[in-house]
Amino acid sequence: MVILGVDPGVATVGFGIIVESGGAPLPGRFGVIRTPAGMRLALRLAQIHRDVSELIMAFRPDAIAVEELFFNTNQKTAVSVAHGRAAIILAGEEHGVPMFEYTPLQVKKAVAGYGRASKKQVMEMVRALLSLTERPKPDDAADALAVAICHARFSNSLMNLQGGNTCSTI
């Protein structure tokens, strides 16, 4: 199974492709989509949509896993991230790729074994699980790989294989 993990945003969108075949997941490609700060929001969203569509066409993922929006005290940032998520979700829907979302807590628990793991712990586990020589950079790409790993683990769980609902579908 090819999984595209996405860490949504507007200025920077992390992406990570992994290949999961029942054993240890293998890294495909990872990186970020960047949009210029001075660009109009509509153009930034169009670029994100276009770039995610290109990733989908190039790697033909079986699933897209997106980190769920986390609301904290900065509502402006949350709204901005929501815009970016919409462009990502639209690209997945247009290409007919099933979409799944995971909370930051679910991602940390699936990758590091602890829902309150630090960012450093999660990044180190991503490195170890994908047998990389160093931690993936930038952080947004590492986060996207973590989301992809989370989906691989949830999608292979016994409960999910037997028809249980271990994650929400967008």
Side-chain angles (χ1 to χ4, degrees):
M1 171 184 343
V2 177
I3 303 167
L4 169 59
V6 184
D7 181 33
V10 171
T12 307
V13 175
F15 69 88
I17 310 277
I18 66 166
V19 179
E20 203 288 321
S21 60
L26 301 171
R29 181 159 303 161
F30 56 89
V32 294
I33 298 166
R34 295 187 195 277
T35 62
M39 185 184 276
R40 284 191 354 249
L41 177 62
L43 294 176
R44 292 174 100 173
L45 296 176
Q47 180 182 334
I48 292 166
H49 177 269
R50 198 170 36 252
D51 290 352
V52 170
S53 290
E54 286 179 18
L55 287 168
I56 292 168
M57 290 185 291
F59 294 98
R60 303 274 185 227
D62 299 297
I64 299 173
V66 182
E67 190 166 65
E68 203 171 89
L69 190 56
F70 175 72
F71 287 98
N72 57 13
T73 56
N74 191 340
Q75 291 181 353
K76 185 176 179 182
T77 300
V79 170
S80 178
V81 172
H83 283 81
R85 279 175 44 86
I88 295 159
I89 291 167
L90 177 61
E93 182 64 27
E94 285 179 341
H95 292 278
V97 182
M99 303 279 297
F100 301 88
E101 63 181 346
Y102 297 94
T103 65
L105 204 85
Q106 287 174 306
V107 173
K108 290 176 180 182
K109 186 165 176 94
V111 173
Y114 177 57
R116 302 280 184 214
S118 71
K119 190 168 198 74
K120 185 176 178 181
Q121 289 171 315
V122 172
M123 289 173 67
E124 181 56 28
M125 285 304 299
V126 166
R127 185 204 63 73
L129 290 168
L130 296 177
S131 300
L132 299 170
T133 56
E134 57 186 46
R135 291 183 191 149
K137 298 248 190 261
D139 290 357
D140 300 287
D143 291 345
L145 286 167
V147 175
I149 292 167
C150 175
H151 180 69
R153 291 192 163 184
F154 274 113
S155 68
N156 286 326
S157 74
L158 183 60
M159 182 179 172
N160 192 43
L161 293 172
Q162 293 178 346
N165 185 15
T166 59
C167 62
S168 61
T169 303
I170 295 178

